């Protein structure tokens, strides 16, 4: 949900005021924060934008997709991942169980010889 904070009580309590950017009345502007709070009431992600920068809703939705993919399918997302691209099987899933769970997956060859980067198709593609 979006929370209105006209009197800035929440912004003050959460340390969200930008003293360097003020409005016409001389009051500090609030930075723009996005919080993802899980069903367990724990913060899963915080994005903070300065008052001068608009939020990137594509990035917000991408991050939400990634968090939900980790919870529902034990998959992590690599840098610049977008919905439909391959995801990384979490290390908590043993390789022998990965085949059962995901079917086909690819193990990235690393100089160390370790086989922890295992990619599989996005199950929600």
């Amino acid at each position: 949900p979006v929370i209105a904070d006209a009197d800035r009580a929440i912004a003050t309590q959460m340390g969200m005021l930008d003293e360097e950017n003020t409005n016409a009345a001389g009051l500090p502007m609030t930075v723009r924060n996005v919080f993802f709070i899980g069903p367990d009431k724990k913060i899963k992600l915080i994005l903070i934008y300065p008052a001068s920068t608009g939020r990137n809703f594509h990035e917000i939705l991408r991050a939400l997709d990634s968090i939900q993919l980790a919870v529902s399918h034990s998959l992590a997302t690599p840098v610049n991942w977008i919905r439909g691209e391959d995801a990384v099987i979490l290390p908590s899933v043993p390789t022998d169980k990965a085949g059962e769970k995901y079917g086909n997956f690819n193990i990235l060859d690393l100089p160390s010889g370790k086989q922890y980067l295992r990619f599989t198709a996005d199950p929600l593609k």
Side-chain angles (χ1 to χ4, degrees), residues 56-83:
N56 181 331
F57 283 98
H58 292 288
E59 174 58 14
I60 291 169
L61 292 174
R62 186 191 80 83
L64 180 60
D65 285 343
S66 175
I67 290 169
Q68 290 176 335
L69 200 59
V71 171
S72 62
H73 296 285
S74 300
L75 296 172
T77 54
V79 65
N80 296 325
W81 174 86
I82 57 172
R83 168 67 65 202

Side-chain angles (χ1 to χ4, degrees), residues 25 39 41-42 56 68 75-76 82 84 97 109 113-114 121 123:
K41 308 279 192 274
K42 293 184 180 179
N56 181 331
Q68 290 176 335
L75 296 172
I82 57 172
K97 300 289 183 196
D109 289 327
K114 294 185 179 182

